[in-house]
Amino acid sequence: AQTVTQSQPEMSVQEAETVTLSCTYDTSENNYYLFWYKQPPSRQMILVIRQEAYKQQNATENRFSVNFQKAAKSFSLKISDSQLGDTAMYFCAFMKRSGSNYKLTFGKGTLLTVNP
Amino acid sequence: GAGVSQSPRYKVAKRGQDVALRCDPISGHVSLFWYQQALGQGPEFLTYFQNEAQLDKSGLPSDRFFAERPEGSVSTLKIQRTQQEDSAVYLCASSSRQGAYNEQFFGPGTRLTVL
């Protein structure tokens, strides 16, 4: 079974600054995907960024980037130039790449508050 | 196009009542997932459908929980004899293909409160 751990229940950052959210995971799988999801107060979960484990290059999406350390089983999210709209719960998630069920295993989340 | 929709958005039930939660996936999406999100926690997998076939129900917490997707589109999660510990947000997600990775699109959830 896979486990995902987010050790920061809450974080805050000033608008326009950079913040990094941490995530570690445990798995015996070799092929998998890792994700960061954003859940604003309206509760609709939105995909922020995705990383395929077999790719060494870290994924980036505009102001969002990851630091993927496969050997350490670490997958942190960096948000640059933070905006007020980034305030949300952020969940790290794992998905096996093989098999027939592409279910997600989530961490407990980090509540990020961006202050003006 | 329309995203994943869920109804009702809020449901209050007395302990012991039966409830039914509906999910309308994105049109044409083959895969459908149900997750349970307790207060202050991350979502936890309940069950997975590929078209009308329920391929994995390993996350259902008890035999009081039942899910169906009879025509491969709309899905219903039914909880019988609700208990207080069933209080949570129930999230539905759909994705477009049955194989390989495809992004899961989430609905807004149904918040169930059992009194």
Side-chain angles (χ1 to χ4, degrees):
Chain A
Q2 287 68 231
T3 60
V4 177
T5 302
Q6 294 179 250
S7 59
Q8 305 152 314
E10 295 185 36
M11 293 192 72
S12 63
V13 65
Q14 292 300 120
E15 197 175 5
E17 293 187 347
T18 296
V19 64
T20 298
L21 308 184
S22 300
C23 173
T24 58
Y25 60 95
D26 189 23
T27 184
S28 58
E29 301 286 332
N30 193 44
N31 293 318
Y32 50 89
Y33 299 96
L34 294 164
F35 307 87
W36 280 97
Y37 279 87
K38 171 184 178 181
Q39 191 176 42
S42 67
R43 305 201 75 86
Q44 195 112 18
M45 195 86 72
I46 303 166
L47 178 64
V48 174
I49 198 166
R50 170 175 70 105
Q51 175 77 42
E52 297 173 47
Y54 68 90
K55 290 187 176 179
Q56 293 186 345
Q57 185 173 7
N58 289 323
T60 62
E61 288 287 343
N62 301 315
R63 298 183 295 106
F64 299 87
S65 62
V66 299
N67 182 3
F68 174 48
Q69 302 289 328
K70 190 173 184 180
K73 296 180 180 174
S74 170
F75 183 62
S76 61
L77 174 69
K78 185 171 81 171
I79 307 174
S80 304
D81 186 26
S82 297
Q83 301 176 359
L84 296 179
D86 295 334
T87 292
M89 282 291 291
Y90 286 81
F91 292 97
C92 179
F94 173 101
M95 179 194 287
K96 282 198 311 182
R97 196 163 177 259
S98 60
S100 61
N101 181 352
Y102 296 88
K103 65 182 179 185
L104 292 161
T105 299
F106 290 88
K108 290 188 175 182
T110 296
L111 176 61
L112 176 67
T113 302
V114 180
N115 299 308
Chain B
V4 178
S5 61
Q6 294 185 244
S7 60
R9 291 292 311 277
Y10 303 91
K11 177 70 179 177
V12 177
K14 292 182 179 178
R15 192 175 62 175
Q17 284 184 332
D18 297 349
V19 298
L21 312 180
R22 177 187 170 107
C23 172
D24 285 81
I26 293 172
S27 178
H29 275 196
V30 170
S31 298
L32 186 146
F33 302 81
W34 283 99
Y35 295 88
Q36 180 190 57
Q37 186 176 18
L39 186 64
Q41 303 294 316
E44 292 191 357
F45 169 78
L46 292 177
T47 188
Y48 161 62
F49 289 87
Q50 183 176 297
N51 295 304
E52 68 279 2
Q54 188 175 21
L55 297 187
D56 188 339
K57 54 182 181 180
S58 62
L60 296 176
S62 78
D63 58 8
R64 296 186 295 105
F65 286 71
F66 172 76
E68 60 183 5
R69 194 186 185 198
E71 298 179 357
S73 55
V74 171
S75 177
T76 303
L77 176 67
K78 297 179 180 178
I79 309 173
Q80 298 177 324
R81 304 181 303 281
T82 52
Q83 303 294 315
Q84 285 189 324
E85 61 262 29
D86 300 335
S87 294
V89 175
Y90 291 85
L91 298 172
C92 175
S94 70
S95 64
S96 62
R97 288 197 324 204
Q98 62 193 40
Y101 165 76
N102 275 279
E103 179 180 348
Q104 292 185 24
F105 294 87
F106 283 81
T110 295
R111 181 183 295 277
L112 173 65
T113 302
V114 181
L115 303 178

